[in-house]
Amino acid sequence: MGKFVIRKVKTGIMFNLKAGNGEVIATSEVYNSMESCKSGIASVQKNAPVAAVENQTVPDYATEKHPKFEVYNDKAGEFRFRLKATNGQIIAVSEGYKALAGCMNGVESVKKNAVDAKIEEEKA
């Protein structure tokens, strides 16, 4: 089972969604408050399971409605995804993957793990 781990960083508060094996599968932006960070987690929990996947790595890809996972190539040529909420805001992003299949597995892992993930605060 996955878990959201909230941690303080120099510029604010952020979360990582970790899979059952402890691997980080998605990361948030940096929030100004604990309350807004927890709202971000709630948004991921609500949007991830129903989000369509828009694969921007293929020519003439179909544009999906929000919420959606956008799969794309970064500047280094790796595959990444970003989860956008119904309002179009980015609520979680992935690490870089060497292969498209790994990135798609990451999307499925977020869809599966986000729903009932526990929320923990990292100990300083």
Side-chain angles (χ1 to χ4, degrees):
M1 184 164 89
K3 65 181 174 182
F4 287 96
V5 180
I6 297 172
R7 63 190 190 109
K8 291 185 170 77
V9 293
K10 284 181 186 167
T11 53
I13 301 166
M14 62 178 291
F15 66 81
N16 286 320
L17 174 58
K18 294 186 175 186
N21 63 3
E23 288 286 313
V24 174
I25 50 177
T27 302
S28 74
E29 66 179 326
V30 176
Y31 295 97
N32 293 326
S33 70
M34 182 64 76
E35 186 179 334
S36 55
C37 184
K38 287 184 175 176
S39 291
I41 290 172
S43 185
V44 170
Q45 289 177 316
K46 179 178 143 214
N47 289 290
V50 298
V53 178
E54 182 178 287
N55 185 351
Q56 299 177 354
T57 68
V58 296
D60 303 321
Y61 64 86
T63 303
E64 301 289 346
K65 288 190 172 111
H66 295 102
K68 66 182 173 183
F69 284 92
E70 292 178 343
V71 175
Y72 64 99
N73 287 108
D74 66 13
K75 288 184 178 102
E78 292 189 322
F79 296 93
R80 292 181 179 266
F81 65 79
R82 56 187 158 239
L83 174 59
K84 289 189 169 183
T86 47
N87 63 3
Q89 290 281 105
I90 296 172
I91 51 178
V93 297
S94 73
E95 63 184 6
Y97 293 89
K98 299 276 185 231
L100 178 60
C103 188
M104 292 301 200
N105 286 343
V107 168
E108 289 308 311
S109 186
V110 171
K111 285 180 170 241
K112 186 178 77 184
N113 284 290
V115 183
D116 56 3
K118 294 184 312 201
I119 300 171
E120 296 179 356
E121 288 183 40
E122 192 173 82
K123 309 286 184 274

